[in-house]
Amino acid sequence: METLQAIHTRRSIRKYAADKVERETIIEVLKAAMAAPSAGNQQPWRFVVIESRETLDRIPSIHPYAGMVPSASCAIMVCGDTSAEKYPGNWMLDCAAAVQNMLLALHDKGLGAVWCGLWPDAARVDSFRALAGLPEYIVPLALVPVGIPDQKTGAHDRFDESKIHWERW
């Protein structure tokens, strides 16, 4: 798949078939996530891959928009390690870039995923920190459920020229 095609055809997928996504595929996607740019090459991202059906089934009770997680093959929690920051405050930018790389890589592999925000919602951060046993310096930014898509999607043109300003506002 060409890069621009992947960008323009990737969609949030919330319905998954029962098939399992292989661990090798998840590792390949995480390699793509870790290829993201980061401020000062600090690479503060950390990942928790959740495969336990019991844990996946619990997630909707702690995240109001994660009802699709129990049907996912797994979920990847993207976290920032604040102790690894060279430039404080940039961890979330770096981790967001890693999430976008991961979403595009998953789409390229024919898989479906959706970005469920955790940070900056303090209740979600605390709940997911407890769920995964994260130390205080690890901040959960996003949860990405992953699975075989079980819904139709298509390209949508989101271009809006009114949001562009040339040279000055």
Side-chain angles (χ1 to χ4, degrees):
M1 181 179 303
E2 295 292 324
T3 304
L4 288 175
Q5 179 188 13
I7 290 168
H8 289 292
T9 60
R10 189 216 61 82
R11 291 288 165 264
S12 294
I13 304 296
R14 294 177 176 86
K15 293 181 182 178
Y16 312 104
D19 302 337
K20 179 124 175 78
V21 176
E22 295 298 321
R23 187 170 276 193
E24 296 79 32
T25 303
I26 297 301
I27 290 170
E28 190 173 355
V29 165
L30 290 171
K31 286 180 181 181
M34 292 183 205
S38 71
N41 199 28
Q42 63 189 351
Q43 302 176 31
W45 41 68
R46 304 295 182 263
F47 304 92
V48 178
V49 180
I50 302 168
E51 297 178 305
S52 160
R53 187 57 41 207
E54 180 183 331
T55 304
L56 293 169
D57 288 346
R58 286 183 46 210
I59 288 175
S61 70
I62 61 174
H63 194 307
Y65 306 109
M68 77 296 291
V69 174
S71 66
S73 177
C74 68
I76 302 170
M77 191 179 347
V78 181
C79 305
D81 182 345
T82 59
S83 73
E85 286 188 294
K86 291 181 188 175
Y87 304 103
N90 282 293
W91 70 266
M92 78 287 295
L93 302 171
D94 297 346
C95 290
V99 172
Q100 182 65 15
N101 273 19
M102 186 171 26
L103 291 171
L104 290 170
L106 287 162
H107 179 52
D108 181 66
K109 292 292 195 182
L111 298 172
V114 61
W115 182 329
C116 298
L118 304 178
W119 183 88
D121 186 290
R124 287 184 208 158
V125 167
D126 291 344
S127 294
F128 279 86
R129 187 176 270 141
L131 180 79
L134 304 177
E136 196 62 31
Y137 59 91
I138 301 293
V139 183
L141 174 81
L143 183 74
V144 179
V146 176
I148 309 296
D150 193 20
Q151 70 182 73
K152 299 284 185 210
T153 64
H156 297 287
D157 186 358
R158 295 181 179 179
F159 181 76
D160 182 351
E161 196 167 350
S162 71
K163 296 182 179 186
I164 301 170
H165 303 276
W166 299 95
E167 303 297 340
R168 296 180 51 97
W169 191 263

